[in-house]
Amino acid sequence: MITNPLNTRVMDDLRVIFKKRTVPLMTSKPRIIDAINKVYERSTSALQGLDEIDQEEFDLDEPIVDLLDAGDDDAPVIKLVNTLLFRAVKEKASDIHIEPYERDMVVRFRIDGVLFDIFKPPKKLQNAITSRIKVMGNLNIAEKRLPQDGRIPLKLGGKDIDVRLSTVPTAFGERLVMRLQDRSNVVLQLEQLGFNDETLTALREDLLLRTYGIILVTGPTGSGKSTTLYACLSKINNAQINILTVEDPVEQRIHGIGQVQVNSKIGLNFSTGLRSFLRQDPDVIMIGEIRDLETAELAIQASLTGHLVFSTLHTNDAAGAFPRLMDMGCEPFLIATSLLGVISQRLVRVLCPHCKAPHVPTDVDLTSLGLTREATRGATVYRAMGCEHCNGKGYLGRTNIQELMLVNDEIRSLIMQRKDGGTIKKRALELGMKTFRDHGVEKVLKGITTIEEVLSNTQIDL
């Protein structure tokens, strides 16, 4: 099969290699790539005969750009690493963990937020696998005592995959974690992220229309904070405003936005980048994360001088952002004056549409969610089953649940009084704020996720 029947050079090469007459069949490029992927996926040669490998024969310096270029003469460890990366992309894993232990090592994938054991390579391949991945990430393979960070750009099946590599020395060798991001599959629409109608309306008709102030997105690592920020920036991105970002790293490149990569080796951090931004005539500024007092004070200063500032903060809920900023050393009156709102979010797994089955929840389940049997009347609750489409897991993808706290006069008054997060949250609930549990229940009643997912990712607000 060929995409261009006029490309006679390829047909001549095939005729010489196979010594047979060639007949071209025209098709599209995606169909050819899909066929190659299916054949490559069935290949098990990379995982065979590893016990008999001589580590001295590994060609660790061979560059890798496209996983599909791996030939039969490649070193087995190169094939092994390629296969693991290929399988991770195929199964839509967000992270690959390579963990050394005393007598063995384990490769695990994080799929939809949950870690699964995938493969246990022989212990004697540990150094070869580690060195191969470090070479791919342009790291120093001789340095095994200090943590290192790198990046591996890959092209697989027509997709651009960005791999962020992190190494940490442990008692039994270096532990590697690779975070995978498919640049061609990044969601940049707020409507696709799982926000409910109430939150979307508040964002589109209020917060994103402001010309100054700070909008914070909080949550644990891997909860989709950066994706939400990118979606917000894409929503307001146009030729009339100047948008600048300082990030660590730049995860998604957006046309029309000036994006700066943090580089601690040369002293370019969030605070120095933000300080220089104020001389670049920006309208909107995005800071990857507020980590210290200097960055927080610069963000507040920027918001008070007529800039709309977006950033992230690591807190457990929306109300926790205020005491967190005070703990850094920010003055309460500055926080109350500059902050517009806080979005806190979590990710829950989405039921596989191919195998989810109706389920009658028990009284214990309903009580745990704060529901009554009457409240579920007319709604269908589903449970996870498992099929070939979801690899037997019962879930396919993730969506977010969130709580949005808008800073109004009453919340500002509590901030000025240095009240704790619990007091602020209690008052916000009285004013009508919806919690993680509330949004999780909505998704359960709509058949999007399960009761177990909501219970494991939220807690009762007392």
Side-chain angles (χ1 to χ4, degrees):
M1 293 189 293
I2 192 169
T3 58
N4 181 12
L6 301 179
N7 188 354
T8 57
R9 179 179 296 181
V10 173
M11 297 171 58
D12 291 340
D13 291 342
L14 290 173
R15 185 167 54 250
V16 171
I17 293 172
F18 295 104
K19 298 180 180 179
K20 292 184 178 180
R21 176 171 170 266
T22 58
V23 178
L25 296 176
M26 188 172 177
T27 187
S28 63
K29 184 177 179 180
R31 293 188 64 182
I32 293 178
I33 292 174
D34 288 342
I36 294 173
N37 288 345
K38 289 178 182 178
V39 172
Y40 196 93
E41 189 178 30
R42 289 197 298 267
S43 175
T44 58
S45 61
L47 302 179
Q48 294 175 350
L50 289 174
D51 291 333
E52 292 77 26
I53 294 176
D54 182 1
Q55 296 187 40
E56 300 299 325
E57 297 178 357
F58 297 153
D59 180 14
L60 297 177
D61 295 322
E62 179 179 341
I64 177 170
V65 178
D66 192 325
L67 297 184
L68 300 181
D69 290 338
D72 293 336
D73 296 331
D74 294 328
V77 163
I78 295 177
K79 289 184 179 180
L80 170 60
V81 173
N82 292 356
T83 301
L84 289 175
L85 286 167
F86 182 90
R87 181 173 174 184
V89 173
K90 200 73 175 177
E91 296 189 11
K92 298 181 179 179
S94 60
D95 301 86
I96 303 174
H97 291 240
I98 299 179
E99 306 165 358
Y101 297 103
E102 185 175 7
R103 291 185 174 83
D104 62 357
M105 60 187 302
V106 178
V107 177
R108 298 198 289 172
F109 289 173
R110 185 178 294 278
I111 303 173
D112 292 336
V114 180
L115 282 170
F116 296 92
D117 286 348
I118 299 298
F119 178 55
K120 291 187 176 182
K123 179 68 174 177
K124 66 180 182 180
L125 297 182
Q126 177 178 321
N127 292 336
I129 292 173
T130 301
S131 297
R132 173 58 187 164
I133 295 174
K134 290 173 70 175
V135 166
M136 293 168 65
N138 292 319
L139 301 184
N140 182 0
I141 62 173
E143 181 56 76
K144 301 181 179 181
R145 303 165 298 173
L146 296 173
Q148 297 186 67
D149 294 306
R151 179 174 169 269
I152 307 173
L154 297 175
K155 191 173 182 64
L156 175 62
K159 298 179 179 180
D160 290 321
I161 308 297
D162 189 53
V163 183
R164 289 162 53 188
L165 170 64
S166 174
T167 71
V168 173
T170 67
F172 302 111
E174 289 182 282
R175 181 189 183 107
L176 282 69
V177 174
M178 291 178 280
R179 171 156 289 186
L180 284 68
Q181 182 183 30
D182 183 357
R183 290 188 185 173
S184 62
N185 195 33
V186 175
V187 177
L188 292 179
Q189 299 297 322
L190 280 172
E191 294 77 9
Q192 297 175 295
L193 296 181
F195 290 113
N196 65 358
D197 294 338
E198 184 180 348
T199 304
L200 281 175
T201 300
L203 283 171
R204 289 184 302 212
E205 299 180 7
D206 182 11
L207 294 180
L208 297 184
L209 298 180
R210 303 289 188 96
T211 56
Y212 61 89
I214 299 177
I215 299 173
L216 289 179
V217 181
T218 73
T221 302
S223 60
K225 299 187 298 296
S226 296
T227 302
T228 298
L229 286 181
Y230 283 133
C232 290
L233 292 181
S234 297
K235 192 74 174 177
I236 62 176
N237 184 23
N238 60 65
Q240 283 75 45
I241 63 174
N242 180 21
I243 303 176
L244 297 176
T245 75
V246 55
E247 309 170 52
D248 184 20
V250 176
E251 296 182 5
Q252 181 65 27
R253 290 156 180 81
I254 305 176
H255 180 71
I257 296 179
Q259 298 173 272
V260 176
Q261 168 80 48
V262 165
N263 189 343
S264 57
K265 295 180 181 178
I266 60 174
L268 177 56
N269 51 33
F270 288 118
S271 57
T272 55
L274 181 55
R275 191 179 292 110
S276 65
F277 280 179
L278 299 179
R279 297 188 292 272
Q280 288 281 318
D281 186 31
D283 297 294
V284 178
I285 297 173
M286 192 267 271
I287 309 166
E289 182 185 349
I290 294 178
R291 297 177 178 173
D292 51 45
L293 175 60
E294 184 179 9
T295 306
E297 287 181 335
L298 285 169
I300 292 173
Q301 177 188 345
S303 70
L304 295 177
T305 53
H307 305 88
L308 184 60
V309 179
F310 293 87
S311 189
T312 67
L313 201 63
H314 286 281
T315 63
N316 290 324
D317 56 14
F322 309 111
R324 177 77 180 96
L325 290 172
M326 290 184 222
D327 184 58
M328 286 183 182
C330 296
E331 292 294 337
F333 73 92
L334 291 176
I335 299 172
T337 305
S338 60
L339 226 58
L340 300 175
V342 182
I343 306 167
S344 189
Q345 61 184 60
R346 299 279 190 280
L347 293 180
V348 295
R349 291 184 291 176
V350 175
L351 280 163
C352 174
H354 304 282
C355 63
K356 66 179 183 179
H359 168 61
V360 178
T362 65
D363 292 336
V364 175
D365 290 336
L366 294 177
T367 303
S368 300
L369 290 179
L371 291 175
T372 62
R373 187 71 62 181
E374 184 67 25
T376 61
R377 193 177 303 278
T380 304
V381 178
Y382 293 88
R383 63 177 175 179
M385 298 298 291
C387 65
E388 59 180 7
H389 296 93
C390 58
N391 291 325
K393 300 178 180 66
Y395 297 94
L396 203 57
R398 289 188 290 176
T399 186
N400 80 34
I401 54 176
Q402 72 286 158
E403 56 184 31
L404 170 63
M405 180 178 291
L406 298 175
V407 181
N408 54 28
D409 291 338
E410 295 196 43
I411 300 299
R412 288 192 185 94
S413 176
L414 294 175
I415 297 172
M416 296 282 284
Q417 299 173 42
R418 290 183 175 270
K419 295 295 184 180
D420 61 276
T423 302
I424 295 174
K425 184 169 187 176
K426 183 178 180 180
R427 183 55 186 152
L429 291 174
E430 293 172 356
L431 295 173
M433 186 187 81
K434 297 290 185 66
T435 64
F436 291 123
R437 179 64 62 88
D438 296 330
H439 289 155
V441 169
E442 288 180 13
K443 285 182 165 27
V444 169
L445 297 180
K446 290 179 180 179
I448 297 174
T449 190
T450 61
I451 293 175
E452 293 76 18
E453 272 295 292
V454 174
L455 292 177
S456 64
N457 285 280
T458 63
Q459 60 184 14
I460 298 176
D461 296 287
L462 301 176

